[in-house]
Amino acid sequence: PPRSVAVVHVYCPDPWWKRKHRKRRVFTDAFVTQVAAVLEPNGILSAASDVAEYFDVIRGLMDHDPRFEPVPVPAA
């Protein structure tokens, strides 16, 4: 239900790092909208990728969405 989830975890979301596979990626504007709808107030979206370029795409989607606030990336 809307606003009912405290944390959404998405780790290494998919193997689609090649250009021809980008249409299959989990992280899209539509996915971000769905996550925003289910997260409770002050909920957390925790995401990681083992592909730096894809992580940059994820970070870009999140940074441009006013419904989310960035948190520091943990040290490796």
Side-chain angles (χ1 to χ4, degrees):
R3 303 176 71 79
S4 64
V5 177
V7 181
V8 173
H9 296 271
V10 186
Y11 303 121
C12 300
D14 40 35
W16 312 115
W17 58 272
K18 292 182 180 178
R19 179 177 295 267
K20 66 183 179 179
H21 298 290
R22 288 183 183 171
K23 63 184 176 239
R24 296 185 180 108
R25 288 182 170 174
V26 169
F27 269 87
T28 62
D29 288 323
F31 176 74
V32 172
T33 296
Q34 290 174 334
V35 170
V38 299
L39 281 176
E40 62 188 26
N42 299 310
I44 297 171
L45 169 60
S46 182
S49 177
D50 55 352
V51 178
E53 180 270 333
Y54 191 22
F55 182 78
D56 291 341
V57 169
I58 294 169
R59 174 67 92 176
L61 283 168
M62 304 314 299
D63 286 348
H64 290 95
D65 193 312
R67 296 171 291 190
F68 294 90
E69 295 178 14
V71 295
V73 176

